[in-house]
Amino acid sequence: QQQVKQSPQSLIVQKGGISIINCAYENTAFDYFPWYQQFPGKGPALLIAIRPDVSEKKEGRFTISFNKSAKQFSLHIMDSQPGDSATYFCAALTTGGGNKLTFGTGTQLKVEL
Amino acid sequence: NAGVTQTPKFQVLKTGQSMTLQCAQDMNHEYMSWYRQDPGMGLRLIHYSVGAGITDQGEVPNGYNVSRSTTEDFPLRLLSAAPSQTSVYFCASHGIGDPRAANSPLHFGNGTRLTVT
């Protein structure tokens, strides 16, 4: 079963626009929610992360919004740039039992000029 | 500072062959793991280790073996390769303790692209 559901699968945004990627989870034991960015030929790299006791976290143009009651969280990329074109993964972590990450299925973002 | 190093970058195997994917980290991290990445399925955990001599199964362990004889190395063995194991494999590591307190819960290597024909 997919414990972390991510949408959309792909996204095309114009330069300067807002990119929004959504994730939903089921397991209430998850207690940390990172987002990873992956460029072709590279491994995923941490972009931004949030704890469930915080509703929003902003780092530069990247913002995570978190809704604990709905078990949903989303990544917003403001003023999207062509250099943001990459695959984005949401993930959820349980800090017990080996700190295992469960990933969403990924969103391929393309920012067009 | 090499971080997490995976070798080889590319590999082609025939069905039934065996091979070992190498992973080494130079950050003295206790925790290491192997993921496979397939289109539309994200990254799925194969095996992980919380320290030398300790390994455990992840979500998709069948057909793979691991061992952790040193802190630095965590090889992944394919016992008898099958076309279903065609994938990109990523090794990752992080230090012990609360990963939420760290800047990055996982450091990933750049992957091994495996094709089984």
Side-chain angles (χ1 to χ4, degrees):
Chain A
Q1 83 255 24
Q2 189 66 42
Q3 292 196 53
V4 179
K5 296 182 179 180
Q6 183 172 347
S7 63
Q9 187 173 2
S10 63
L11 182 61
I12 299 175
V13 173
Q14 296 300 309
K15 180 183 175 184
I18 302 174
S19 304
I20 302 174
I21 304 171
N22 299 301
C23 286
Y25 65 97
E26 298 173 358
N27 187 350
T28 55
F30 291 141
D31 55 7
Y32 188 59
F33 299 88
W35 284 86
Y36 283 82
Q37 180 187 55
Q38 184 183 30
F39 293 104
K42 299 293 186 182
L46 179 69
L47 182 64
I48 186 173
I50 196 168
R51 299 190 190 211
D53 55 350
V54 175
S55 61
E56 185 175 284
K57 183 174 181 180
K58 183 176 181 179
E59 290 186 0
R61 296 183 294 109
F62 300 91
T63 300
I64 301 177
S65 297
F66 189 85
N67 185 331
K68 188 174 182 178
S69 61
K71 292 187 283 186
Q72 295 175 346
F73 57 111
S74 60
L75 175 69
H76 292 66
I77 306 174
M78 312 300 288
D79 188 24
S80 298
Q81 300 296 313
D84 297 330
S85 298
T87 300
Y88 292 82
F89 293 96
C90 61
L93 179 73
T94 47
T95 50
N99 296 326
K100 290 178 285 186
L101 268 177
T102 299
F103 283 87
T105 51
T107 296
Q108 196 162 2
L109 171 66
K110 183 177 181 181
V111 181
E112 293 183 336
L113 292 169
Chain B
N1 187 357
V4 178
T5 302
Q6 291 184 239
T7 57
K9 286 186 170 57
F10 301 95
Q11 184 70 49
V12 179
L13 290 178
K14 295 187 176 180
T15 298
Q17 288 184 315
S18 63
M19 79 158 294
T20 300
L21 279 63
Q22 302 292 342
C23 176
Q25 52 92 6
D26 61 358
M27 298 171 283
N28 202 32
H29 283 169
E30 293 287 340
Y31 180 88
M32 296 185 74
S33 54
W34 277 100
Y35 289 84
R36 59 177 289 173
Q37 182 176 12
D38 302 290
M41 303 192 75
L43 290 98
R44 293 179 292 169
L45 182 64
I46 304 171
H47 285 286
Y48 66 98
S49 168
V50 298
I54 306 170
T55 63
D56 206 347
Q57 295 181 351
E59 182 185 354
V60 288
N62 293 340
Y64 307 95
N65 270 0
V66 292
S67 60
R68 186 90 180 273
S69 57
T70 67
T71 299
E72 295 78 20
D73 300 299
F74 190 44
L76 177 72
R77 296 182 186 85
L78 279 70
L79 309 172
S80 177
S84 61
Q85 294 178 305
T86 294
S87 187
V88 181
Y89 292 84
F90 287 99
C91 179
S93 75
H94 75 71
I96 206 70
D98 189 346
R100 298 169 298 177
N103 189 44
S104 174
L106 284 181
H107 297 261
F108 282 89
N110 284 329
T112 294
R113 184 175 293 275
L114 176 68
T115 301
V116 183
T117 61

